[in-house]
Amino acid sequence: MAEPIKVLLVDDHQVVRRGLRTFLEVQEDIVVVGEAADGAEGVARAEELRPDVVLMDVKMPGMDGIDALRRLRELDNPARVLIVTSFTEQRTVVPALRAGAAGYVYKDVDPDALAGAIRSVHAGHILLQPEVAGALLSQEEVNSGQGRGSSLTEREREVLGLIADGRSNREIARALVLSEKTVKTHVSNILMKLDLADRTQAALWAVRHGVAG
């Protein structure tokens, strides 16, 4: 039997954390390993507990969710971060995704959909609603990559397709029988050639241009 998905809850409202914990604890494949009431505490707890997935609120006192997310990426923390936001905060979603979030859910999400979202990001997928994917794709730096796909080598296109599938560098290396160092070089070349900032943009570019598998 696979190890349960370890989840850290980061939200400044105790009642929200309690509700999330109550629901998630009945899931056989998910375990809540800890809680935090603000971004700074969330970063510290993520470093201490090494969860698989962090459910991160956006608006919190002190360090907010986006700054906490950036800090986790600076620390190279491997946790996948799922942003929990309200519909009225939708404008914060794109900055969160640019900061490295694996996706987002609204606070009124159906409980079963929340569990599904946790499983999805844990499996390496990027969780986006169509309107947010459109907002990301409309950014100038993404559009600037149009027409540059012809500069990619066949191997780089293979790597890009696997990025779009949510694969990590280690998984890509295993799939293509390459070293992780070689895969990292390919990823850097892809981002440079397409003038993209990160893997999320690369995945979206791949979907838009038919490179995804």
Side-chain angles (χ1 to χ4, degrees):
M1 184 175 178
E3 290 290 322
I5 301 168
K6 296 180 292 184
V7 174
L8 173 66
L9 307 177
V10 184
D11 194 295
D12 60 320
H13 292 100
Q14 184 177 5
V15 66
V16 173
R17 299 198 308 271
R18 183 179 298 139
L20 289 170
R21 178 183 281 275
T22 298
F23 167 70
L24 293 175
E25 285 183 340
V26 304
Q27 305 297 311
E28 294 184 357
D29 59 339
I30 297 173
V31 58
V32 177
V33 295
E35 301 179 14
D38 58 48
E41 185 184 4
V43 171
R45 296 288 278 166
E47 284 291 280
E48 172 193 356
L49 300 170
R50 310 301 282 185
D52 299 308
V53 176
V54 177
L55 287 184
M56 181 85 74
D57 190 15
V58 175
K59 292 187 176 180
M60 294 181 288
M63 181 184 288
D64 66 17
I66 295 176
D67 285 340
L69 178 53
R70 292 190 180 110
R71 181 59 181 150
L72 287 173
R73 297 290 79 86
E74 289 171 0
L75 293 168
D76 201 25
N77 190 290
R80 302 277 285 173
V81 177
L82 187 60
I83 291 292
V84 183
T85 185
S86 70
F87 184 78
T88 57
E89 297 168 341
Q90 187 179 6
R91 66 186 179 279
T92 68
V93 171
V94 170
L97 292 168
R98 291 201 175 283
Y104 74 100
V105 292
Y106 291 128
K107 289 186 176 180
D108 61 353
V109 65
D110 177 84
D112 290 333
L114 174 61
I118 291 171
R119 296 182 185 109
S120 180
V121 298
H122 178 251
H125 301 296
I126 298 170
L127 194 66
L128 298 175
Q129 297 295 329
E131 68 272 14
V132 172
L136 281 167
L137 287 170
S138 68
Q139 299 294 324
E140 179 180 353
E141 58 266 36
V142 177
N143 288 335
S144 68
Q146 291 183 7
R148 298 183 182 178
S150 60
S151 67
L152 298 178
T153 66
E154 186 61 34
R155 178 64 85 188
E156 287 166 351
R157 290 179 69 86
E158 288 179 322
V159 171
L160 181 56
L162 291 171
I163 291 173
D165 287 339
R167 305 287 189 91
S168 67
N169 284 356
R170 179 175 297 179
E171 290 170 331
I172 293 172
R174 188 179 301 119
L176 298 181
V177 195
L178 300 171
S179 70
E180 284 189 57
K181 183 177 180 180
T182 298
V183 171
K184 187 175 182 179
T185 298
H186 284 315
V187 172
S188 296
N189 289 339
I190 290 166
L191 297 180
M192 179 184 66
K193 288 181 179 181
L194 299 181
D195 193 22
L196 303 176
D198 52 42
R199 295 171 76 96
T200 299
Q201 288 186 9
L204 290 166
W205 192 98
V207 172
R208 187 179 192 183
H209 296 279
V211 179

